[in-house]
Amino acid sequence: MPLSFANKYDTLLFILLLYLYFFLHELIHGIGFRLESKNIKFGMALEKGVLYTLCQDEISKKCALISMLLPTIILSFIAYPLGIIINNSWLCYLAVFNLSGAVGDLAMTFLILKLPNDITYIDYDNSIGCTFLSTRDLSKYKSPGVTYVSSGIHSDKLINKSLKKFYISKKSIIIILVYTLVLILISVLAHIL
């Protein structure tokens, strides 16, 4: 099922859908966190290569697993077969893009599965990291793509309460604008030539 565009507007529509799909991915993480938390933050830091969802309440291992896997299950493992059933190549490609973007979520899932059952998960303030709390030494637990940084004592004072509910860095706005303009230019040139 090849990805095909009938006209230059289809290309732009697909790019827009891709952006929306990535935002939907993060929103679904938030839905997973929402099972046990109301303190959820969303953001974009493309200069770090991430869209992110932070949960600034302690949640259980089970809730953390649900939140990590939910976007992949819905937007890839359900969307791809659905795309095949309804013969929609765009949905299939969006599902594949989502799966490739979920590599970090899958690495985190494998780590969480290895961790003791008493762990709790919390994001203090880092868009590319998280914190696991446990009575045990977690430094011996490894997972590909995940780096152990440090041990310490949990304190609510570590939670960055100044973070906005929704945050987009200035660099992210510039990156989106430049990327979109380049894609529009390529699309227009491809249809002119």
Side-chain angles (χ1 to χ4, degrees), residues 118-168:
D118 78 331
I119 64 119
T120 55
Y121 172 102
I122 189 169
D123 291 306
Y124 289 127
D125 71 349
N126 192 334
S127 61
I128 56 172
C130 68
T131 301
F132 294 104
L133 307 173
S134 177
T135 57
R136 301 181 190 186
D137 177 14
L138 300 179
S139 63
K140 64 183 176 182
Y141 296 94
K142 308 281 184 218
S143 184
V146 179
T147 304
Y148 176 81
V149 177
S150 66
S151 294
I153 305 287
H154 166 63
S155 167
D156 285 339
K157 292 178 182 175
L158 296 172
I159 298 171
N160 184 348
K161 295 180 174 127
S162 69
L163 293 177
K164 298 175 185 175
K165 281 278 188 197
F166 300 96
Y167 172 77
I168 300 176

Side-chain angles (χ1 to χ4, degrees), residues 101-122:
V103 169
D105 296 341
L106 295 174
M108 287 294 296
T109 297
F110 291 125
L111 175 62
I112 293 169
L113 286 170
K114 291 178 186 178
L115 293 174
N117 287 332
D118 78 331
I119 64 119
T120 55
Y121 172 102
I122 189 169

Side-chain angles (χ1 to χ4, degrees), residues 62-82:
K62 179 181 176 182
C63 186
L65 282 169
I66 289 169
S67 181
M68 290 298 147
L69 287 174
L70 206 54
T72 304
I73 291 169
I74 294 170
L75 298 177
S76 290
F77 297 145
I78 292 175
Y80 188 83
L82 181 63

Side-chain angles (χ1 to χ4, degrees), residues 11 24 28 66 70 88 91 109-110 120 140 170 175 191:
T11 307
L24 184 59
I28 294 171
I66 289 169
L70 206 54
N88 186 316
L91 185 56
T109 297
F110 291 125
T120 55
K140 64 183 176 182
K170 290 177 184 174
I175 291 168
H191 286 87

